[in-house]
Amino acid sequence: MVEKEEKKGAKSDEETAALAAADLETLTISNAEEIIEDDDDDKDPDLFKPPPPREDCPICMLPLPSEHGTLMYRVCCGAVLCTACVEESKRVIEKTNVKKRKKKLPLLEACCPFCREPTGESDEKAIVRLRKRIELNDAVAHDCLAQAYFVGSHGFPKDQRKAFELFLRATELGSLHAPVIVAECFGEGRGVNMDAAKEKHY
């Protein structure tokens, strides 16, 4: 009887192991919660804000796509259009001009689909318009000029320091593309001294 009572009151090896595992799990969860709380103290709240809503194409009123090569910036009016609307405008003009040629009527000029300003202008005139957009604190205009300086295109000398300054200003004005380039510049030392902390920030 005594032996049976002792066995009844004692814990089996399986029960002991299960309790130890439960204690370890509780400890692990507790430690994880402490780590999360510590991380919350160090987090930059701006990094975890929801992304801003995408703008709409001012012509078709659909959200602008985010894929590379699907947007077009117009220096004449500062509009950012989806390439579908730009291509459709070209198609309509070409179709209309086919009929006009048959009737020997004056042809339509290629123009901006949004403001109807004639396109096909020289680089010099486009640059003048781009600089006017920059004076109006247009983030995309800063981004475009920065890219020209970054690679040395459209008659601009290659100047990565100037490009970095423009990318940084575009970031301050709300560009979604420029912060990626700013981070790369800090990480690789292009146009600015390398700074791992600022690379991580941007």
Side-chain angles (χ1 to χ4, degrees):
M1 289 291 292
V2 175
E3 289 181 3
K4 287 184 178 178
E5 287 178 1
E6 286 179 355
K7 287 182 179 178
K8 186 177 180 181
K11 294 178 181 177
S12 67
D13 292 342
E14 290 82 0
E15 289 176 334
T16 304
L19 288 171
D23 290 342
L24 179 61
E25 184 180 356
T26 303
L27 181 62
T28 304
I29 293 173
S30 176
N31 289 347
E33 289 174 349
E34 290 177 6
I35 292 170
I36 291 171
E37 288 176 1
D38 291 341
D39 286 347
D40 287 340
D41 295 336
D42 298 332
K43 282 177 182 175
D44 183 349
D46 291 338
L47 294 177
F48 296 91
K49 286 182 178 179
R54 287 187 294 169
E55 294 182 4
D56 295 337
C57 172
I59 296 178
C60 65
M61 301 307 293
L62 294 174
L64 288 168
S66 57
E67 294 82 5
H68 180 70
T70 56
L71 304 177
M72 290 195 72
Y73 176 71
R74 313 304 303 188
V75 294
C76 46
C77 55
V80 179
L81 311 175
C82 66
T83 51
C85 286
V86 175
E87 293 302 319
E88 177 63 14
S89 176
K90 290 179 181 178
R91 189 192 68 80
V92 170
I93 290 174
E94 289 173 2
K95 185 177 180 180
T96 303
N97 282 340
V98 168
K99 296 178 181 179
K100 286 181 173 290
R101 285 190 188 95
K102 291 179 180 179
K103 297 179 180 179
K104 297 182 179 180
L105 296 173
L107 302 180
L108 296 178
E109 292 185 45
C111 63
C112 171
F114 186 66
C115 71
R116 297 300 175 185
E117 185 73 18
T119 58
E121 58 195 9
S122 64
D123 281 350
E124 290 78 9
K125 187 177 287 187
I127 289 169
V128 170
R129 288 183 171 179
L130 184 63
R131 292 194 181 281
K132 286 182 179 179
R133 297 301 311 173
I134 287 174
E135 291 174 2
L136 295 172
N137 288 328
D138 186 325
V140 183
H142 280 77
D143 200 339
C144 290
L145 187 57
Q147 292 181 53
Y149 274 115
F150 198 76
V151 298
S153 63
H154 297 87
F156 290 95
K158 187 173 181 178
D159 187 339
Q160 292 192 340
R161 185 170 189 80
K162 178 68 174 176
F164 170 78
E165 292 172 355
L166 288 164
F167 277 130
L168 187 60
R169 180 57 179 154
T171 299
E172 294 169 351
L173 293 171
S175 169
L176 298 180
H177 167 263
V180 178
I181 307 299
V182 170
E184 289 179 357
C185 288
F186 276 121
E188 300 174 6
R190 295 187 179 185
V192 67
N193 294 331
M194 293 179 66
D195 190 321
K198 289 184 178 179
E199 178 191 11
K200 185 177 179 180
H201 171 75
Y202 284 101

